[in-house]
Amino acid sequence: MRRFFLSFFSVLFATAAHAAENVTTFTLDNGMQGVVIEDHRAPVAVQMVWYKTGAADEPPGKSGIAHLLEHLMFKATDNLEAGEFSKIVAANGGSDNGFTAQDYTGYVQRVASDRLGLMMQMEADRMRNLRLTEADVVTERDVVIEERNQRTENSPGALFSEQRNAALYLNHPYGGPIVGWKHEIAALGLSDALSFYDTYYAPNNAVLVVAGDVDPAEVERMANEIYGAIPANPDLPERLRPSEPPQLAERRLTYADPRVAQPYVIRSYLAPERDSGAQEKAAALVILAEVLGGSSNTSYLGRKLQFDEQLAVHTSAFYSGSSLDDTTFGLVIVPVPGVSLAEAEAALDGAVQDFLDEGPDPAQLARIKQQIKASEIYQRDSVQSLARTYGAALTQGLTVEDVQAWPDILSAVTAEDVVAAGREIFDRKRAVTGWLMQPVSDEETQ
């Protein structure tokens, strides 16, 4: 059985290496970056155009404009009527979508590979020829506000998360919600949308990712012909953001809401992101999150607090290094009935300290590293998932080489690296501790 698994993972790792060899890159004269990922298993192609701009690049007081513009990109252009873009994609048997994050905004189409040229033509058209009206903005602004109502205003957990995030970042725009603050969304107008579009939607601020049954030379030729005709924006601003000052005091939040069904404690720490050419610290934090709280059944916190001490019904740890600037590392504990949030927090802190004193179990560490590497490889089975990996990386300061080196960097993490990462990250002065709970009656406070 052991030989079987070693053989199985060797095949997977060979597959990963082969996938890496099928990635080619180019840069057009106007500055647009291109990435082509060959996969000829099915006659399908995915096109993604990623813009190096997101919610964290919005002007002060204009939160939500990046996301609103994403909606507006499906309106009319010089060559298409409003909504026609998606209708043409569907008529050609494909699907399309858009997405906004703190660091990027992206658009994707999945079609038969022989329709790739048509997708490029339409995407290039709306990169330079979007035609908006005030009525368009009002309509989509109302849609975005309703989206915020459904996903944030109607969820105590989402509101709590929003407040914690705002407290964690003292100065950096990551403290604002991607969808935008409601009062600022309501004030966005046509001039705001056009200003953001004219500033950031340009080929020298874009990454083209094409994955699937394609020939790299042909993709580059088409990209040169279609996207290469679009002039660069000579006034594209440098991507500078306010940095965090030294954080000198722990912050604590209590959010009470009668809709809360299950109280819990969560602590978020400011944490370093993956940096190009220096991903080792982020890799150690990925492993630390998995060892501490990746699985209730096998993680350190799960075994200790849920099964041994039976103080919690759920524990977890989370970290995502995919970020242009400092990101977050988090710990969560949901106590069993009868255990207060104060007791749960104390138990969580005690367990974390015990882990730092003991270090990870060698067998568990080896298993988790293998699982993470396998997950990285399984991801390569989906051309769209792989395209997202490269697009996100290139819009967040990483390179193709960084993406390809990542699985080996994860594999090289040692137990000492994990403990060192934990000792560095668990600084309460750089953290926000939050309690989500039901309101306490006057009698209970007496």
Side-chain angles (χ1 to χ4, degrees):
M1 181 62 71
R2 182 175 179 272
R3 286 195 300 270
F4 168 77
F5 279 110
L6 288 174
S7 174
F8 174 66
F9 280 111
S10 295
V11 171
L12 285 178
F13 299 159
T15 302
H18 177 68
E21 292 171 359
N22 287 338
V23 177
T24 57
T25 63
F26 58 86
T27 302
L28 303 182
D29 289 343
N30 59 11
M32 188 174 192
Q33 295 175 268
V35 178
V36 183
I37 306 164
E38 285 186 84
D39 187 328
H40 300 288
R41 292 175 298 174
V44 173
V46 171
Q47 175 185 235
M48 288 183 164
V49 170
W50 299 69
Y51 293 97
K52 298 178 183 179
T53 187
D57 301 296
E58 296 166 337
K62 303 296 181 181
S63 68
I65 191 60
H67 179 231
L68 177 60
L69 181 57
E70 178 218 313
H71 281 240
L72 292 169
M73 286 290 285
F74 294 87
K75 297 298 183 180
T77 68
D78 284 353
N79 301 300
L80 296 174
E81 298 295 328
E84 192 176 359
F85 188 109
S86 295
K87 289 179 181 177
I88 292 175
V89 175
N92 282 273
S95 59
D96 73 315
N97 208 342
F99 46 89
T100 306
Q102 291 285 10
D103 296 320
Y104 54 73
T105 310
Y107 303 90
V108 56
Q109 303 90 41
R110 181 182 177 91
V111 293
S113 51
D114 62 357
R115 312 300 165 89
L116 177 61
L118 174 61
M119 298 301 108
M120 283 190 177
Q121 290 168 3
M122 294 197 301
E123 197 66 81
D125 177 40
R126 66 177 175 181
M127 181 185 287
R128 59 178 168 178
N129 298 323
L130 191 63
R131 293 294 173 260
L132 299 177
T133 67
E134 193 69 59
D136 291 332
V137 175
V138 171
T139 298
E140 291 306 315
R141 189 177 63 200
D142 290 344
V143 171
V144 170
I145 289 174
E146 181 56 29
E147 182 180 325
R148 181 185 164 88
N149 286 338
Q150 292 180 1
R151 298 182 180 180
T152 305
E153 305 293 341
N154 290 337
S155 168
L159 289 169
F160 180 45
S161 176
E162 194 173 74
Q163 294 293 307
R164 291 195 334 270
N165 212 42
L168 181 62
Y169 290 95
L170 302 177
N171 195 44
H172 194 281
Y174 283 169
I178 293 170
V179 70
W181 298 109
K182 191 172 184 178
H183 68 288
E184 292 188 348
I185 301 171
L188 296 174
L190 177 61
S191 62
D192 300 315
L194 291 176
S195 176
F196 202 79
Y197 175 75
D198 291 340
T199 300
Y200 294 109
Y201 278 56
N204 51 323
N205 199 42
V207 179
L208 168 68
V209 183
V210 175
D213 185 27
V214 296
D215 173 66
E218 178 62 11
V219 171
E220 184 175 356
R221 184 197 66 78
M222 289 193 297
N224 217 0
E225 176 184 318
I226 298 170
Y227 291 110
I230 304 174
N233 177 9
D235 299 319
L236 181 69
E238 189 176 354
R239 204 172 194 190
L240 297 175
R241 294 166 172 175
S243 59
E244 279 296 294
Q247 295 196 350
L248 306 177
E250 179 187 6
R251 282 132 287 161
R252 300 186 65 86
L253 297 177
T254 299
Y255 186 80
D257 192 305
R259 297 171 296 177
V260 172
Q262 180 64 69
Y264 61 83
V265 178
I266 180 169
R267 182 178 297 131
S268 298
Y269 297 86
L270 203 63
E273 75 285 358
R274 285 170 63 183
D275 288 324
S276 183
Q279 302 181 88
E280 288 76 12
K281 187 173 291 187
L285 290 171
V286 168
I287 303 295
L288 174 64
E290 286 297 317
V291 172
L292 265 182
S295 165
S296 292
N297 293 325
T298 60
S299 69
Y300 187 89
L301 295 178
R303 293 198 315 268
K304 185 176 184 66
L305 299 178
Q306 294 176 234
F307 296 102
D308 295 346
E309 299 180 12
Q310 298 186 2
L311 295 173
V313 296
H314 173 75
T315 56
S316 65
F318 58 89
Y319 168 76
S320 174
S322 296
S323 179
L324 185 62
D325 300 314
D326 279 352
T327 183
T328 60
F329 188 105
L331 301 170
V332 181
I333 180 169
V334 182
V336 299
V339 173
S340 69
L341 294 181
E343 292 168 331
E345 182 182 342
L348 178 65
D349 288 338
V352 169
Q353 186 57 56
D354 289 344
F355 172 80
L356 295 177
D357 293 340
E358 299 168 9
D361 174 73
Q364 182 200 19
L365 179 61
R367 182 178 64 252
I368 284 174
K369 287 169 61 177
Q370 198 76 289
Q371 289 170 344
I372 290 175
K373 189 159 188 176
S375 175
E376 290 282 325
I377 293 165
Y378 292 145
Q379 182 176 281
R380 298 175 185 269
D381 273 344
S382 166
V383 292
Q384 187 158 330
S385 176
L386 196 54
R388 287 190 70 97
T389 296
Y390 280 96
L394 267 64
T395 54
Q396 294 179 313
L398 300 177
T399 66
V400 168
E401 292 73 24
D402 291 325
V403 174
Q404 294 173 350
W406 183 237
D408 289 337
I409 292 174
L410 288 168
S411 294
V413 172
T414 66
E416 291 75 18
D417 295 332
V418 172
V419 173
R423 292 193 183 281
E424 180 178 345
I425 205 71
F426 296 136
D427 180 354
R428 295 278 283 270
K429 294 190 298 294
R430 293 165 53 85
V432 173
T433 303
W435 290 9
L436 180 66
M437 56 191 293
Q438 292 183 334
V440 179
S441 67
D442 290 340
E443 287 116 1
E444 291 174 297
T445 61
Q446 293 175 358

